[in-house]
Amino acid sequence: MGLLHLLRQRLSDSLAHHPPHVEDAELGPLEQVAEGLWRTLEPLVLLPDEDPIYLTIEGDAQGPAPELRAILDELRIRYGDLRPAVEPMLRRADPRAGRDMFWPRSTLVSVELYRHPTQGHPVLALTYALDDAPEYSFIVRVENWKAVDVLVAG
């Protein structure tokens, strides 16, 4: 009888589990999606000329890591410098991408900001949607402010 009670309690607890939330003054409401990994619950205006995006950022039990927040602030300033390196990578990843007016037909939809798992330096993952390939997501990895590679998911 004791074992059955414990199993019922564990099942009840797991069904009733709600991930931790924090209200962040800059980023708005955040939900912890994994230990030390936070995601915005509402789209965030990262850049004035872009659509709002969802942000996933590494941190601790209290919220996003301050040093990664600083990288996010720097992204707001340096994003324009990244675009010339990102565009040819996206064009190679999707040959259907038009030759003209590339950026009006592409949308930054999310940003992930985390520490490299072995080296510890910040890594950005910029996820794009392209009008010419709506069934795919194009994730550009950025390290040391250089576009490194692109992953196509879909």
Side-chain angles (χ1 to χ4, degrees), residues 30-142:
L30 301 171
E31 176 181 66
Q32 191 173 28
V33 294
E35 187 174 339
L37 196 60
W38 296 89
R39 184 160 198 253
T40 56
L41 290 173
E42 299 171 5
L44 170 73
V45 176
L46 180 67
L47 304 161
D49 296 336
E50 297 283 336
D51 290 338
I53 56 113
Y54 283 96
L55 171 71
T56 304
I57 185 169
E58 190 175 337
D60 59 22
Q62 276 62 54
E67 66 274 14
L68 295 180
R69 284 177 177 276
I71 297 296
L72 182 63
D73 292 338
E74 195 170 349
L75 176 62
R76 288 182 165 115
I77 297 166
R78 298 179 76 164
Y79 181 70
D81 296 335
L82 284 172
R83 283 173 67 151
V86 168
E87 180 178 343
M89 294 176 81
L90 293 175
R91 285 183 184 274
R92 279 191 303 275
D94 182 22
R96 297 176 294 179
R99 298 202 184 278
D100 303 321
M101 298 180 51
F102 180 80
W103 288 110
R105 293 192 337 267
S106 64
T107 305
L108 178 66
V109 294
S110 70
V111 172
E112 292 182 29
L113 185 51
Y114 56 93
R115 293 178 197 94
H116 190 281
T118 59
Q119 299 170 3
H121 62 266
V123 177
L124 290 158
L126 309 175
T127 302
Y128 292 90
L130 304 181
D131 290 351
D132 296 325
E135 66 275 20
Y136 297 105
S137 294
F138 298 84
I139 305 164
V140 178
R141 182 170 51 107
V142 176

